[in-house]
Amino acid sequence: MNQEIRIVLVEDNKAYTKSLLEIIGLSGDMVCVETYATTGSCESAYSADAPPEADVILLDLKIPQKGGLSLVPMLRERAPDSAIVVLTSNDDYRTVLEAIKLGVVGYVLKDTSVADLRRIIREVNDGGSVIDPQLSRHVLAAFREDEGLESGLLSDREREVLELMAEGLVKKEVAEKLGISYSAVALYTSNIYEKLQVPNVAAAVATAIRKGII
């Protein structure tokens, strides 16, 4: 039997916390090991000699005191093996970019379906990264018409691949959309990561937007 995915939940809304605990508890392969309702309580726990061991940290942005984003640098330092996923109602693209630059591997809106949320948790636990498709489209729309100083860093095809992946398409779907082979998409993706010096799609999107590439 596979080991359960250990989750830490940082969320102050009691009703939403209860809902998340039910989603996690009924998943069959996940368990919530700790919950925190303030930045202070989370900081105290992770500042201890033996911080919580978790595979995934679900982090709300609007928790009391300092706000969720303030926790990310500390969480990355104290729990480097935990995948941090922002789960929020905040769809401002500037906040998305800031969160990704700080090192979160997922940014997901709270109206995400139960099935999608479980899929996202499993995906980031396996080393993947996720930006809510609604947010990706919103972010890209704000920058797509800007040529940018480094727009030539990626080829036209690489930009197409990155934009489609940012919208939530997997490599197979990108290949079908563009009418090219899966191996070609895999090669383009590898080139994108190498050129932007990033490890995943979320970081690639953030870097490309910051540089004005997409």
Side-chain angles (χ1 to χ4, degrees):
M1 181 177 178
N2 293 332
Q3 184 177 355
E4 289 181 312
I5 301 172
R6 300 164 300 175
I7 298 171
V8 163
L9 177 58
V10 187
E11 167 65 59
D12 69 307
N13 185 298
K14 292 182 179 179
Y16 191 64
T17 296
K18 181 180 179 181
S19 176
L20 286 174
L21 290 174
E22 290 177 354
I23 291 171
I24 293 168
L26 294 173
S27 67
D29 62 348
M30 304 174 192
V31 60
C32 182
V33 295
E34 294 288 351
T35 63
Y36 304 105
T38 66
T39 56
S41 61
C42 185
E43 285 177 333
S44 295
Y46 276 91
S47 296
D49 292 337
E53 294 184 2
D55 302 301
V56 178
I57 299 172
L58 298 181
L59 177 65
D60 181 30
L61 292 186
K62 294 184 178 180
I63 56 175
Q65 298 175 352
K66 300 178 184 178
L69 278 186
S70 69
L71 293 172
V72 175
M74 181 272 295
L75 290 172
R76 291 197 66 206
E77 179 181 353
R78 297 290 293 164
D81 295 328
S82 298
I84 304 172
V85 176
V86 169
L87 190 59
T88 183
S89 56
N90 188 339
D91 62 357
D92 178 70
Y93 72 84
R94 296 176 185 84
T95 306
V96 179
L97 289 178
E98 183 179 359
I100 293 171
K101 286 187 285 185
L102 285 173
V104 307
V105 299
Y107 197 107
V108 184
L109 293 179
K110 285 186 174 181
D111 61 3
T112 298
S113 70
V114 171
D116 281 344
L117 180 56
R118 287 175 176 155
R119 174 185 58 77
I120 288 165
I121 291 172
R122 294 177 183 120
E123 186 172 332
V124 299
N125 182 61
D126 288 337
S129 57
V130 178
I131 302 178
D132 192 296
Q134 299 177 66
L135 297 174
S136 295
R137 287 191 290 270
H138 177 74
V139 171
L140 291 174
F143 288 88
R144 190 166 280 151
E145 295 182 359
D146 294 336
E147 183 175 350
L149 295 176
E150 299 187 49
S151 59
L153 184 59
L154 299 182
S155 69
D156 290 343
R157 181 63 89 185
E158 288 166 349
R159 289 177 64 184
E160 285 182 307
V161 169
L162 180 56
E163 289 185 4
L164 290 174
M165 293 183 71
E167 292 178 5
L169 276 67
V170 297
K171 291 186 180 72
K172 181 180 178 181
E173 293 170 328
V174 172
E176 293 173 351
K177 180 82 171 180
L178 297 178
I180 58 179
S181 68
Y182 178 92
S183 59
V185 173
L187 178 59
Y188 285 129
T189 303
S190 177
N191 289 342
I192 290 167
Y193 291 170
E194 182 177 354
K195 289 181 178 181
L196 298 182
Q197 298 183 356
V198 295
N200 54 50
V201 174
V205 171
T207 301
I209 290 173
R210 191 167 64 249
K211 291 178 176 290
I213 295 170
I214 57 176

